[in-house]
Amino acid sequence: MAWLLVIVAGFLETGFAVCLKLSHGFTRLWPTVAFACFALGSFGLLTLALRKLDVGPAYAVWTGIGAAGTAIYGMIFLGDLVSVLKIISITLVIVGVIGLQLSGSSH
């Protein structure tokens, strides 16, 4: 259950990063409100998950999902540059997070 919270928190991190961009420096109301909701949800779920999980692997999964998700969302929906190097780098982030998790979490 704790890992499910981390995964959902990671997707919410993607949401708050995208809304941060869309808020244009907190000058647009609804993206700013959405940013705050996603951020509170993300940090709240991560906090709950950390009651049961080691901080290193949990934080890596959370930030990995957020970073990869944000980059992918930006390429698909926001017109961010798509390149082979960027795709390889996102893949390496995901592989690194999986490797950290498989390396020996005690829970």
Side-chain angles (χ1 to χ4, degrees):
M1 179 63 169
W3 281 112
L4 179 61
L5 294 177
V6 172
I7 291 167
V8 173
F11 285 113
L12 292 175
E13 183 187 359
T14 296
F16 84 66
V18 169
C19 288
L20 188 60
K21 163 106 174 133
L22 297 176
S23 76
H24 290 268
F26 300 127
T27 61
R28 293 185 175 166
L29 177 63
W30 294 116
T32 300
V33 170
F35 160 78
C37 292
F38 283 129
L40 287 172
S42 182
F43 285 112
L45 292 178
L46 180 63
T47 299
L48 292 174
L50 288 176
R51 292 178 178 175
K52 304 272 186 195
L53 301 173
D54 291 340
V55 68
Y59 185 76
V61 169
W62 179 68
T63 58
I65 291 170
T70 303
I72 291 166
Y73 186 94
M75 288 186 289
I76 294 171
F77 297 108
L78 301 177
D80 290 357
L81 176 68
V82 178
S83 68
V84 172
L85 183 57
K86 190 179 274 191
I87 303 247
I88 290 169
S89 298
I90 291 168
T91 303
L92 289 172
V93 167
I94 293 167
V95 169
V97 167
I98 292 168
L100 182 60
Q101 175 57 25
L102 294 176
S103 70
S105 177
S106 62
H107 300 285

